[in-house]
Amino acid sequence: MPQPDGSADRDTDPTAPRLTIGEVLAALRGDFPDVTISKIRYLESEELVHPQRTPSGYRKFSTADVTRLRYVLAAQRDQYLPLRVIKEHLDALDRGEPLPGHAAAEDQPVPTTPLPAAEFAEAAGLTEQQLADCVEFGLVAPDAHGRHRPSDLPVARAAAGLAQHGIEPRHLRLHRTAAEREAALLEQLVTPTLRARSDDARSRAAEQLTELAGLSAQLHAALLEARLREVLGG
């Protein structure tokens, strides 16, 4: 990944494109429709991106800055990583170190439009019958035209991996039920923030939900690991 913090551009390439925050927003909106100027400013405040400042205080972003923003937004959207973890990843990339156990976000292309069932099944590693079972047991849901959202691919891919171990979609209903209950709990936590009905409020709520989702996943993994250690007599 080319210098995620944009330092090389700033130091060695004075002709690198310099974009206003509005131009950056326009460049990102195609892949990240929910991104806002407030979100970009928030990521800057968290030191995930470092645009230059003009003498009058306006932000100017290099192409490397935009690449860094894409990485952050994709990691949040596709891997549900909290900003703390994303920052650690970026720091490792800045040092030229690989990410153990993680592929760079841009190395994992994600479709941007709904997929027909056959294409979705292939992308997920499921047979069409397994996909039909996932639909039947509420793990994924097609739209009115029988197509599937790309955002459902992580669920479908996890189901495909479990199927290789003999765990069928019908066995996964308890995961869906638990996720729905957990989502309802997290929704209650951010509802007061969303009542403000502003871009800033939505950005804060999105950040809070991302952080909470990461912590919930961490808790689930820790509890499962502890239980499995008991099974193994550890």
Side-chain angles (χ1 to χ4, degrees), residues 11-12 34 64 69-70 77 90 98 116 123 135-136 143 150 155 163 171 188 218:
D11 295 339
T12 65
D34 294 332
L69 284 168
R70 287 187 182 279
R77 180 193 65 192
L90 290 170
V135 172
E136 178 181 353
D143 63 19
V155 174
H171 299 135
Q188 290 178 24
Q218 181 180 341

Side-chain angles (χ1 to χ4, degrees), residues 1 7 19 32 62 96 118 122 125-126 129 146 162 166 193 204 216:
M1 180 177 175
S7 59
L19 307 176
F32 306 98
S62 70
E122 182 179 1
L126 293 166
Q129 181 57 54
L162 290 168
T193 304
R204 290 196 304 272
S216 293

Side-chain angles (χ1 to χ4, degrees), residues 69-89:
L69 284 168
R70 287 187 182 279
Y71 184 94
V72 173
L73 294 169
Q76 285 188 307
R77 180 193 65 192
D78 302 337
Q79 300 177 49
Y80 304 100
L81 297 180
L83 291 182
R84 172 184 54 79
V85 174
I86 296 172
K87 191 173 189 303
E88 291 172 359
H89 286 191

Side-chain angles (χ1 to χ4, degrees), residues 10 19 30 66 85 129 154 164-165 183 185 189-190 206 211 213 219 223 233:
R10 287 193 293 270
L19 307 176
V66 177
V85 174
Q129 181 57 54
Q164 293 178 1
H165 295 274
L185 172 62
L189 294 175
V190 301
E211 188 76 18
L219 174 62
L223 289 171

Side-chain angles (χ1 to χ4, degrees), residues 58-142:
Y58 291 103
R59 297 170 178 84
K60 287 293 186 177
F61 295 80
S62 70
T63 52
D65 291 326
V66 177
T67 298
R68 189 179 182 97
L69 284 168
R70 287 187 182 279
Y71 184 94
V72 173
L73 294 169
Q76 285 188 307
R77 180 193 65 192
D78 302 337
Q79 300 177 49
Y80 304 100
L81 297 180
L83 291 182
R84 172 184 54 79
V85 174
I86 296 172
K87 191 173 189 303
E88 291 172 359
H89 286 191
L90 290 170
D91 289 343
L93 289 170
D94 290 344
R95 295 190 298 267
E97 298 172 2
L99 300 179
H102 292 275
E106 65 267 26
D107 293 336
Q108 300 181 5
V110 177
T112 57
T113 58
L115 297 173
E119 292 182 22
F120 183 86
E122 182 179 1
L126 293 166
T127 66
E128 292 193 45
Q129 181 57 54
Q130 287 172 329
L131 175 57
D133 290 342
C134 287
V135 172
E136 178 181 353
F137 294 106
L139 300 176
V140 297

Side-chain angles (χ1 to χ4, degrees), residues 130-180:
Q130 287 172 329
L131 175 57
D133 290 342
C134 287
V135 172
E136 178 181 353
F137 294 106
L139 300 176
V140 297
D143 63 19
H145 303 286
R147 300 171 303 184
H148 290 267
R149 298 184 301 270
S151 59
D152 282 341
L153 275 173
V155 174
R157 286 169 176 161
L162 290 168
Q164 293 178 1
H165 295 274
I167 301 176
E168 300 174 10
R170 62 189 175 89
H171 299 135
L172 303 178
R173 285 178 292 184
L174 65 113
H175 293 278
R176 186 204 68 198
T177 301
E180 289 173 349

